[in-house]
């Protein structure tokens, strides 16, 4: 189920690319700006939602693993293995959320000519690159976390 978030993240990247394409096509047209704004809002919302869910997922699953290890007196190796996955997953999710927020926040100052357009364009390129790298890594971390969780479930009494 949590893998659906990674798929949703890729949808967010497609929306981000569409927002970028519509932004580069702007030539003072009000309708084109509204399309760009709608696509950017959609991309930002989807991507921030995905990263927030993953920021909650990894620590939450970690607490469940730690509780199961303590409660069923399993080897602490289970907790240690998941702690490493949890830490890396949280770092990737946080690192990917920050450029999204910065990109969206830079839109208005760029539109009102308070900032140079290159700032917004640079943040777009940075965000797109970070999102692709983060989603590739998060896909691996989510799959490993789910596999570890399934293995741990098989170690519990009555399973």
């Amino acid at each position: 189920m949590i893998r659906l978030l990674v798929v949703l993240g890729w949808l967010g990247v497609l929306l981000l690319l569409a927002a970028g394409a519509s932004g580069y096509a702007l030539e003072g047209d009000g309708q084109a700006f509204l399309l760009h704004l709608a696509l950017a809002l959609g991309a930002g919302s989807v991507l921030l939602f995905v990263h927030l869910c993953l920021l909650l997922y990894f620590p939450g699953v970690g607490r469940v693993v730690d509780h199961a290890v303590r409660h069923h007196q399993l080897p602490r190796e289970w907790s240690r293995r998941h702690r490493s996955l949890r830490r890396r997953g949280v770092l990737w999710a946080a690192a990917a959320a920050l450029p999204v927020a910065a990109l969206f926040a830079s839109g208005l100052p760029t539109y009102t000519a308070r900032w140079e357009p290159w700032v917004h364009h640079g943040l777009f390129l940075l965000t797109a690159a970070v999102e692709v790298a983060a989603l590739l890594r998060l896909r691996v971390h989510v799959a490993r976390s789910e596999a570890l969780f399934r293995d741990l479930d098989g170690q519990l009494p009555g399973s």
Side-chain angles (χ1 to χ4, degrees), residues 24-104:
Y24 285 114
L26 286 177
E27 293 181 14
D29 180 14
Q31 290 296 89
F33 174 74
L34 289 178
L35 175 65
H36 175 68
L37 184 62
L39 288 170
L41 183 60
S45 299
V46 168
L47 291 170
L48 289 174
F49 172 76
V50 166
H51 296 309
L52 177 62
C53 287
L54 290 172
L55 283 168
L56 295 172
Y57 167 78
F58 284 109
V61 169
R63 290 186 69 177
V64 170
V65 168
D66 291 344
H67 175 74
V69 165
R70 278 192 314 273
H71 183 73
H72 297 288
Q73 293 147 1
L74 297 171
R76 291 242 183 249
E77 175 67 17
W78 290 103
S79 290
R80 189 195 63 74
R81 284 174 51 202
H82 194 272
R83 192 171 301 118
S84 173
L85 279 173
R86 174 178 40 190
R87 190 176 313 123
R88 283 180 276 161
V90 165
L91 286 174
W92 273 107
L98 292 174
V100 172
L103 175 63
F104 191 77

Side-chain angles (χ1 to χ4, degrees), residues 96-135:
L98 292 174
V100 172
L103 175 63
F104 191 77
S106 72
L108 182 62
T110 303
Y111 180 70
T112 59
R114 290 187 178 169
W115 289 6
E116 293 294 323
W118 67 264
V119 175
H120 191 60
H121 297 172
L123 281 171
F124 166 71
L125 295 173
L126 173 71
T127 302
V130 168
E131 282 301 322
V132 168
L135 287 170

